[in-house]
Amino acid sequence: MDTLSARRITTAITLSIAVACASSLVIAAVYPSMHPFAASGLAKRFTLPVSLVAFGIALLLPPTRGRTIRYRFPGWWTMLVAVGLTSSFLSATLLTDDQGLFASAKAAGLYAGFLLAAAAGLTAGYWTDDLKARLTWVLIIGGLVSAVLARDMPPFVAIAAPAGFGALYLAARNPERRARLTFLGIVILGLTGWRIVNAPASHPPSIALITSLLVCGGFLLLLVLPRSLRLFAAFGAAIYATWWMLSDGTYRILFGAYRFEDVTIAQRGYETNRVLAVLDDSPLALLFGMGPGASVDLSMSPDRVTLLSSGRTLGAVDDVHLLTSYVLLKFGLFGLLWLGILLWQVVKLCVEQVRDPDPWRVTLLLFVLSGTVAAIPAATYFFSNPLPALCLGILVATRATNPEGRGHTATSRVESVQTGVRSYSSGMNPHQ
C-alpha cells in the first residue's frame, strides 16, 4: 500500500497550521489593537503562500518511486477548472477588467489554492491508522491554539468548532483516549463560548464562528439520535431553517434587498445589489462572470466604515461577503451551478455518515461543514481556507469504490500510465 502521499499531506498541513499559529501570535503581540479584518488580511499574506507551497510540493512530488500515476478527479473539481479558465479568458478579452493583470492573477490564486488543496486530498492514497491519528491530532491541536488565542488563524478559519466537537465525538467512540479527548473538547468549546459571550461591542463575534458552532453541534446531535430518526430530524431542521429565513425576510439579501436594521445583513444585501447591477450590463457576464479579479463599487455601502478600517478601496472591492454573490460575480450562473454540485456532494457525504457513521470520516466532515457554513456569509474563506477542500478531497477519494458509504471499506483508486491500470485499495478501520 502506498502511504507516501498521505504522509506528505499530513506533513504539509502540520507545517501550515504551525506557521498560522506563529503568525497569529506575532500579530497579536506586535499589533494588539489592529482591527480583526485587517489582522486577518495581514496574516494571510504570509500563511496562505506557505500553505499553497506546502500542498504544491506534497502534490507534485512523485507519489511512488519509479512510477507515474494518473488520477481521476471528480466532476466538481474539473468543472471549477473549466469555469475558472473560461471566465478568466472572457474577462481578459471581451469583458472589462479594471483590476489589471496582476490583481487578476492574484485573485485567481485563491481558486488555484482551492483546487490544489482538493487535489492533495483526492490523491493522498492509503491512510493507515497511524496517519489518520496524526492528521486528527494536528487538526485538534490547531483548534486548541485558535481557542486559546481567542482568534482565527488565517487561512484556517473556524477551526475551533470542528476541532472541539470532533474531539468529543472521538472521545465517545474511543475508550482508550476518552479522558484526553474529552478534556480537549471541553477546553476548546469552553474557550470558544467564552470568546463569543465576552466579545466587545466594537468587535462582535463573527457570524462564521457562530454558524460553524451551530452546524457542527447540530450534526453531532443527529448522530446521537436513534438511527431511524436521524434523516427525519435532519430534514425537519432544514425545513425549519428555510421557514425561518422566509418568515424573517433575510432571504431577500440573496436578490439584492438591503433595507435592514442590522448593518451586517444590510451590507451583504447591498453588495449583492451591486453585483447584480454589474452583471446586468452583459448576458455573457451573467453566464460566465466577470473573472477572478472582478470588483464592485461599494462607496455608498451601509458598512463602509468597516471596509475602510480593514484597508479596502471602496471604489473597487473584489471580495463581497455572500458566497452566492461572490461566485456569481466571478463565475456567473455557471459558477453557481458548480457551487450547487459541490454542495450536493457535501450533502451526500453527510447522509452517508448519518446512516452509518465512522469516527475519522465524521471528524473530517465536521471541518468540511464548518468551513462551508463559515464561508456563506464570508465568501473568501471558502477558497482561502485549505481545510474544507482538503478534507472533502480525502472523503471523496476514500469512498471512490464504495458509493453507498457502508461497511467502512473505502478505496482510493489510481491508474498507472506506465503499466496500465493498477489500483490500490485503502481500507478503513471501523473501530478507530
Side-chain angles (χ1 to χ4, degrees), residues 126-161:
Y126 180 74
W127 289 86
T128 64
D129 290 345
D130 179 61
L131 287 173
K132 293 176 188 175
R134 288 185 193 178
L135 179 61
T136 302
W137 279 111
V138 167
L139 296 176
I140 291 176
I141 296 302
L144 176 63
V145 174
S146 177
V148 170
L149 293 176
R151 62 173 61 200
D152 290 321
M153 300 186 306
F156 302 101
V157 177
I159 189 176

mmCIF file of all heavy atoms in Angstrom, residues 126-161:
data_model
loop_
_atom_site.group_PDB
_atom_site.id
_atom_site.type_symbol
_atom_site.label_atom_id
_atom_site.label_comp_id
_atom_site.label_asym_id
_atom_site.label_seq_id
_atom_site.Cartn_x
_atom_site.Cartn_y
_atom_site.Cartn_z
ATOM 1 N N TYR A 126 -3.446 5.842 0.378
ATOM 2 C CA TYR A 126 -3.843 4.979 1.501
ATOM 3 C C TYR A 126 -3.551 5.658 2.837
ATOM 4 O O TYR A 126 -2.453 6.159 3.063
ATOM 5 C CB TYR A 126 -3.102 3.646 1.403
ATOM 6 C CG TYR A 126 -3.421 2.681 2.498
ATOM 7 C CD1 TYR A 126 -4.646 2.020 2.521
ATOM 8 C CD2 TYR A 126 -2.505 2.414 3.511
ATOM 9 C CE1 TYR A 126 -4.942 1.117 3.522
ATOM 10 C CE2 TYR A 126 -2.793 1.508 4.521
ATOM 11 C CZ TYR A 126 -4.023 0.875 4.521
ATOM 12 O OH TYR A 126 -4.313 -0.012 5.514
ATOM 13 N N TRP A 127 -4.536 5.624 3.732
ATOM 14 C CA TRP A 127 -4.385 6.206 5.068
ATOM 15 C C TRP A 127 -4.344 5.084 6.095
ATOM 16 O O TRP A 127 -5.334 4.398 6.327
ATOM 17 C CB TRP A 127 -5.545 7.156 5.384
ATOM 18 C CG TRP A 127 -5.510 8.427 4.606
ATOM 19 C CD1 TRP A 127 -6.024 8.649 3.367
ATOM 20 C CD2 TRP A 127 -4.906 9.652 5.021
ATOM 21 N NE1 TRP A 127 -5.783 9.935 2.973
ATOM 22 C CE2 TRP A 127 -5.109 10.586 3.973
ATOM 23 C CE3 TRP A 127 -4.224 10.068 6.172
ATOM 24 C CZ2 TRP A 127 -4.637 11.894 4.043
ATOM 25 C CZ3 TRP A 127 -3.774 11.366 6.246
ATOM 26 C CH2 TRP A 127 -3.971 12.261 5.194
ATOM 27 N N THR A 128 -3.188 4.895 6.726
ATOM 28 C CA THR A 128 -3.078 3.930 7.808
ATOM 29 C C THR A 128 -3.721 4.504 9.071
ATOM 30 O O THR A 128 -3.984 5.708 9.168
ATOM 31 C CB THR A 128 -1.612 3.602 8.099
ATOM 32 O OG1 THR A 128 -0.938 4.791 8.564
ATOM 33 C CG2 THR A 128 -0.902 3.089 6.854
ATOM 34 N N ASP A 129 -3.938 3.654 10.064
ATOM 35 C CA ASP A 129 -4.494 4.126 11.330
ATOM 36 C C ASP A 129 -3.584 5.166 11.966
ATOM 37 O O ASP A 129 -4.054 6.144 12.568
ATOM 38 C CB ASP A 129 -4.689 2.954 12.293
ATOM 39 C CG ASP A 129 -5.809 2.029 11.850
ATOM 40 O OD1 ASP A 129 -6.605 2.443 10.988
ATOM 41 O OD2 ASP A 129 -5.885 0.901 12.365
ATOM 42 N N ASP A 130 -2.276 4.988 11.826
ATOM 43 C CA ASP A 130 -1.332 5.936 12.405
ATOM 44 C C ASP A 130 -1.433 7.298 11.714
ATOM 45 O O ASP A 130 -1.427 8.342 12.374
ATOM 46 C CB ASP A 130 0.093 5.395 12.282
ATOM 47 C CG ASP A 130 1.129 6.349 12.849
ATOM 48 O OD1 ASP A 130 1.070 6.650 14.055
ATOM 49 O OD2 ASP A 130 2.004 6.802 12.087
ATOM 50 N N LEU A 131 -1.554 7.304 10.388
ATOM 51 C CA LEU A 131 -1.662 8.563 9.661
ATOM 52 C C LEU A 131 -2.997 9.257 9.950
ATOM 53 O O LEU A 131 -3.059 10.488 10.040
ATOM 54 C CB LEU A 131 -1.515 8.309 8.159
ATOM 55 C CG LEU A 131 -0.103 7.977 7.685
ATOM 56 C CD1 LEU A 131 -0.122 7.565 6.211
ATOM 57 C CD2 LEU A 131 0.823 9.165 7.883
ATOM 58 N N LYS A 132 -4.056 8.471 10.090
ATOM 59 C CA LYS A 132 -5.331 9.062 10.463
ATOM 60 C C LYS A 132 -5.228 9.758 11.817
ATOM 61 O O LYS A 132 -5.735 10.877 12.003
ATOM 62 C CB LYS A 132 -6.418 7.990 10.526
ATOM 63 C CG LYS A 132 -6.771 7.358 9.195
ATOM 64 C CD LYS A 132 -7.778 6.242 9.428
ATOM 65 C CE LYS A 132 -8.014 5.442 8.157
ATOM 66 N NZ LYS A 132 -8.905 4.287 8.411
ATOM 67 N N ALA A 133 -4.590 9.070 12.756
ATOM 68 C CA ALA A 133 -4.442 9.642 14.095
ATOM 69 C C ALA A 133 -3.587 10.908 14.063
ATOM 70 O O ALA A 133 -3.908 11.905 14.725
ATOM 71 C CB ALA A 133 -3.821 8.615 15.037
ATOM 72 N N ARG A 134 -2.518 10.912 13.267
ATOM 73 C CA ARG A 134 -1.654 12.102 13.175
ATOM 74 C C ARG A 134 -2.429 13.295 12.622
ATOM 75 O O ARG A 134 -2.359 14.399 13.179
ATOM 76 C CB ARG A 134 -0.458 11.813 12.263
ATOM 77 C CG ARG A 134 0.576 10.884 12.853
ATOM 78 C CD ARG A 134 1.756 10.796 11.900
ATOM 79 N NE ARG A 134 2.648 9.694 12.235
ATOM 80 C CZ ARG A 134 3.731 9.375 11.542
ATOM 81 N NH1 ARG A 134 4.033 10.072 10.439
ATOM 82 N NH2 ARG A 134 4.481 8.362 11.899
ATOM 83 N N LEU A 135 -3.160 13.074 11.535
ATOM 84 C CA LEU A 135 -3.922 14.169 10.941
ATOM 85 C C LEU A 135 -4.968 14.691 11.917
ATOM 86 O O LEU A 135 -5.151 15.909 12.073
ATOM 87 C CB LEU A 135 -4.583 13.691 9.648
ATOM 88 C CG LEU A 135 -5.444 14.723 8.912
ATOM 89 C CD1 LEU A 135 -4.613 15.924 8.494
ATOM 90 C CD2 LEU A 135 -6.127 14.096 7.694
ATOM 91 N N THR A 136 -5.651 13.779 12.593
ATOM 92 C CA THR A 136 -6.687 14.183 13.547
ATOM 93 C C THR A 136 -6.106 15.021 14.673
ATOM 94 O O THR A 136 -6.657 16.065 15.048
ATOM 95 C CB THR A 136 -7.394 12.948 14.120
ATOM 96 O OG1 THR A 136 -7.949 12.186 13.053
ATOM 97 C CG2 THR A 136 -8.500 13.355 15.073
ATOM 98 N N TRP A 137 -4.969 14.595 15.231
ATOM 99 C CA TRP A 137 -4.363 15.334 16.341
ATOM 100 C C TRP A 137 -3.865 16.699 15.890
ATOM 101 O O TRP A 137 -3.969 17.684 16.633
ATOM 102 C CB TRP A 137 -3.213 14.534 16.953
ATOM 103 C CG TRP A 137 -3.668 13.480 17.911
ATOM 104 C CD1 TRP A 137 -3.617 12.137 17.744
ATOM 105 C CD2 TRP A 137 -4.285 13.697 19.187
ATOM 106 N NE1 TRP A 137 -4.151 11.487 18.826
ATOM 107 C CE2 TRP A 137 -4.559 12.425 19.734
ATOM 108 C CE3 TRP A 137 -4.623 14.829 19.918
ATOM 109 C CZ2 TRP A 137 -5.166 12.267 20.987
ATOM 110 C CZ3 TRP A 137 -5.224 14.668 21.159
ATOM 111 C CH2 TRP A 137 -5.483 13.415 21.679
ATOM 112 N N VAL A 138 -3.342 16.793 14.679
ATOM 113 C CA VAL A 138 -2.893 18.096 14.171
ATOM 114 C C VAL A 138 -4.075 19.058 14.082
ATOM 115 O O VAL A 138 -3.978 20.225 14.489
ATOM 116 C CB VAL A 138 -2.226 17.928 12.784
ATOM 117 C CG1 VAL A 138 -2.046 19.282 12.108
ATOM 118 C CG2 VAL A 138 -0.873 17.248 12.939
ATOM 119 N N LEU A 139 -5.202 18.581 13.589
ATOM 120 C CA LEU A 139 -6.376 19.436 13.453
ATOM 121 C C LEU A 139 -6.927 19.852 14.820
ATOM 122 O O LEU A 139 -7.322 21.010 15.024
ATOM 123 C CB LEU A 139 -7.458 18.714 12.652
ATOM 124 C CG LEU A 139 -7.107 18.395 11.193
ATOM 125 C CD1 LEU A 139 -8.224 17.596 10.534
ATOM 126 C CD2 LEU A 139 -6.835 19.662 10.404
ATOM 127 N N ILE A 140 -6.941 18.921 15.765
ATOM 128 C CA ILE A 140 -7.457 19.239 17.103
ATOM 129 C C ILE A 140 -6.541 20.232 17.811
ATOM 130 O O ILE A 140 -7.013 21.192 18.440
ATOM 131 C CB ILE A 140 -7.625 17.949 17.932
ATOM 132 C CG1 ILE A 140 -8.774 17.112 17.362
ATOM 133 C CG2 ILE A 140 -7.893 18.273 19.402
ATOM 134 C CD1 ILE A 140 -8.957 15.776 18.044
ATOM 135 N N ILE A 141 -5.242 20.024 17.725
ATOM 136 C CA ILE A 141 -4.296 20.946 18.363
ATOM 137 C C ILE A 141 -4.400 22.333 17.719
ATOM 138 O O ILE A 141 -4.324 23.358 18.398
ATOM 139 C CB ILE A 141 -2.863 20.407 18.276
ATOM 140 C CG1 ILE A 141 -2.743 19.102 19.075
ATOM 141 C CG2 ILE A 141 -1.873 21.434 18.810
ATOM 142 C CD1 ILE A 141 -3.108 19.234 20.535
ATOM 143 N N GLY A 142 -4.570 22.365 16.402
ATOM 144 C CA GLY A 142 -4.771 23.656 15.737
ATOM 145 C C GLY A 142 -6.004 24.371 16.262
ATOM 146 O O GLY A 142 -5.985 25.589 16.500
ATOM 147 N N GLY A 143 -7.097 23.621 16.463
ATOM 148 C CA GLY A 143 -8.297 24.219 17.032
ATOM 149 C C GLY A 143 -8.084 24.690 18.455
ATOM 150 O O GLY A 143 -8.626 25.727 18.866
ATOM 151 N N LEU A 144 -7.289 23.949 19.220
ATOM 152 C CA LEU A 144 -6.989 24.356 20.597
ATOM 153 C C LEU A 144 -6.220 25.671 20.630
ATOM 154 O O LEU A 144 -6.537 26.568 21.424
ATOM 155 C CB LEU A 144 -6.181 23.254 21.291
ATOM 156 C CG LEU A 144 -5.701 23.558 22.718
ATOM 157 C CD1 LEU A 144 -6.894 23.755 23.647
ATOM 158 C CD2 LEU A 144 -4.797 22.439 23.229
ATOM 159 N N VAL A 145 -5.229 25.816 19.770
ATOM 160 C CA VAL A 145 -4.449 27.055 19.729
ATOM 161 C C VAL A 145 -5.343 28.226 19.335
ATOM 162 O O VAL A 145 -5.270 29.318 19.922
ATOM 163 C CB VAL A 145 -3.266 26.919 18.752
ATOM 164 C CG1 VAL A 145 -2.548 28.244 18.588
ATOM 165 C CG2 VAL A 145 -2.298 25.855 19.241
ATOM 166 N N SER A 146 -6.218 28.007 18.359
ATOM 167 C CA SER A 146 -7.132 29.062 17.945
ATOM 168 C C SER A 146 -8.043 29.483 19.094
ATOM 169 O O SER A 146 -8.307 30.670 19.304
ATOM 170 C CB SER A 146 -7.978 28.595 16.755
ATOM 171 O OG SER A 146 -8.931 29.565 16.376
ATOM 172 N N ALA A 147 -8.522 28.501 19.873
ATOM 173 C CA ALA A 147 -9.395 28.809 21.003
ATOM 174 C C ALA A 147 -8.640 29.551 22.103
ATOM 175 O O ALA A 147 -9.166 30.481 22.715
ATOM 176 C CB ALA A 147 -10.001 27.516 21.554
ATOM 177 N N VAL A 148 -7.403 29.159 22.354
ATOM 178 C CA VAL A 148 -6.605 29.818 23.391
ATOM 179 C C VAL A 148 -6.305 31.256 22.998
ATOM 180 O O VAL A 148 -6.366 32.174 23.831
ATOM 181 C CB VAL A 148 -5.298 29.036 23.647
ATOM 182 C CG1 VAL A 148 -4.353 29.844 24.534
ATOM 183 C CG2 VAL A 148 -5.607 27.688 24.286
ATOM 184 N N LEU A 149 -5.991 31.473 21.718
ATOM 185 C CA LEU A 149 -5.692 32.827 21.241
ATOM 186 C C LEU A 149 -6.947 33.682 21.112
ATOM 187 O O LEU A 149 -6.858 34.902 20.970
ATOM 188 C CB LEU A 149 -4.994 32.758 19.877
ATOM 189 C CG LEU A 149 -3.593 32.163 19.843
ATOM 190 C CD1 LEU A 149 -3.089 32.080 18.417
ATOM 191 C CD2 LEU A 149 -2.635 32.978 20.697
ATOM 192 N N ALA A 150 -8.124 33.038 21.159
ATOM 193 C CA ALA A 150 -9.404 33.733 21.005
ATOM 194 C C ALA A 150 -9.474 34.482 19.678
ATOM 195 O O ALA A 150 -10.018 35.580 19.595
ATOM 196 C CB ALA A 150 -9.657 34.686 22.165
ATOM 197 N N ARG A 151 -8.934 33.888 18.627
ATOM 198 C CA ARG A 151 -8.989 34.468 17.289
ATOM 199 C C ARG A 151 -8.764 33.372 16.267
ATOM 200 O O ARG A 151 -8.238 32.298 16.584
ATOM 201 C CB ARG A 151 -7.939 35.560 17.115
ATOM 202 C CG ARG A 151 -6.494 35.083 17.255
ATOM 203 C CD ARG A 151 -5.521 36.188 16.890
ATOM 204 N NE ARG A 151 -5.663 37.343 17.762
ATOM 205 C CZ ARG A 151 -5.231 38.560 17.431
ATOM 206 N NH1 ARG A 151 -4.653 38.753 16.259
ATOM 207 N NH2 ARG A 151 -5.360 39.559 18.269
ATOM 208 N N ASP A 152 -9.182 33.653 15.030
ATOM 209 C CA ASP A 152 -8.911 32.712 13.944
ATOM 210 C C ASP A 152 -7.436 32.746 13.589
ATOM 211 O O ASP A 152 -6.718 33.692 13.910
ATOM 212 C CB ASP A 152 -9.743 33.070 12.708
ATOM 213 C CG ASP A 152 -11.216 32.781 12.925
ATOM 214 O OD1 ASP A 152 -11.536 31.758 13.538
ATOM 215 O OD2 ASP A 152 -12.049 33.608 12.480
ATOM 216 N N MET A 153 -6.993 31.673 12.944
ATOM 217 C CA MET A 153 -5.605 31.581 12.488
ATOM 218 C C MET A 153 -5.601 31.505 10.966
ATOM 219 O O MET A 153 -5.556 30.414 10.401
ATOM 220 C CB MET A 153 -4.921 30.357 13.084
ATOM 221 C CG MET A 153 -4.876 30.332 14.589
ATOM 222 S SD MET A 153 -3.907 28.944 15.195
ATOM 223 C CE MET A 153 -4.689 27.558 14.353
ATOM 224 N N PRO A 154 -5.713 32.640 10.292
ATOM 225 C CA PRO A 154 -5.760 32.623 8.829
ATOM 226 C C PRO A 154 -4.594 31.849 8.233
ATOM 227 O O PRO A 154 -3.478 31.970 8.726
ATOM 228 C CB PRO A 154 -5.684 34.107 8.457
ATOM 229 C CG PRO A 154 -6.178 34.825 9.671
ATOM 230 C CD PRO A 154 -5.730 34.001 10.826
ATOM 231 N N PRO A 155 -4.840 31.046 7.203
ATOM 232 C CA PRO A 155 -6.112 30.911 6.479
ATOM 233 C C PRO A 155 -7.071 29.886 7.069
ATOM 234 O O PRO A 155 -8.078 29.569 6.454
ATOM 235 C CB PRO A 155 -5.639 30.469 5.095
ATOM 236 C CG PRO A 155 -4.451 29.619 5.383
ATOM 237 C CD PRO A 155 -3.762 30.288 6.551
ATOM 238 N N PHE A 156 -6.762 29.342 8.252
ATOM 239 C CA PHE A 156 -7.597 28.292 8.846
ATOM 240 C C PHE A 156 -8.675 28.932 9.704
ATOM 241 O O PHE A 156 -8.517 29.127 10.904
ATOM 242 C CB PHE A 156 -6.722 27.335 9.657
ATOM 243 C CG PHE A 156 -5.642 26.695 8.860
ATOM 244 C CD1 PHE A 156 -4.345 27.163 8.924
ATOM 245 C CD2 PHE A 156 -5.926 25.640 8.010
ATOM 246 C CE1 PHE A 156 -3.340 26.582 8.171
ATOM 247 C CE2 PHE A 156 -4.925 25.065 7.247
ATOM 248 C CZ PHE A 156 -3.630 25.531 7.325
ATOM 249 N N VAL A 157 -9.784 29.263 9.060
ATOM 250 C CA VAL A 157 -10.880 29.974 9.707
ATOM 251 C C VAL A 157 -11.877 28.974 10.278
ATOM 252 O O VAL A 157 -12.114 27.915 9.710
ATOM 253 C CB VAL A 157 -11.575 30.912 8.700
ATOM 254 C CG1 VAL A 157 -12.756 31.611 9.345
ATOM 255 C CG2 VAL A 157 -10.580 31.925 8.158
ATOM 256 N N ALA A 158 -12.470 29.323 11.438
ATOM 257 C CA ALA A 158 -13.491 28.488 12.076
ATOM 258 C C ALA A 158 -12.982 27.070 12.312
ATOM 259 O O ALA A 158 -13.694 26.090 12.069
ATOM 260 C CB ALA A 158 -14.768 28.476 11.237
ATOM 261 N N ILE A 159 -11.750 26.961 12.793
ATOM 262 C CA ILE A 159 -11.151 25.651 13.043
ATOM 263 C C ILE A 159 -11.475 25.134 14.436
ATOM 264 O O ILE A 159 -11.447 23.936 14.694
ATOM 265 C CB ILE A 159 -9.616 25.717 12.833
ATOM 266 C CG1 ILE A 159 -9.003 24.321 12.861
ATOM 267 C CG2 ILE A 159 -8.967 26.625 13.851
ATOM 268 C CD1 ILE A 159 -7.517 24.314 12.576
ATOM 269 N N ALA A 160 -11.815 26.039 15.378
ATOM 270 C CA ALA A 160 -12.039 25.630 16.765
ATOM 271 C C ALA A 160 -13.298 24.781 16.913
ATOM 272 O O ALA A 160 -13.297 23.774 17.641
ATOM 273 C CB ALA A 160 -12.111 26.859 17.666
ATOM 274 N N ALA A 161 -14.387 25.166 16.253
ATOM 275 C CA ALA A 161 -15.657 24.446 16.414
ATOM 276 C C ALA A 161 -15.551 22.982 15.980
ATOM 277 O O ALA A 161 -15.900 22.084 16.760
ATOM 278 C CB ALA A 161 -16.764 25.164 15.651
#
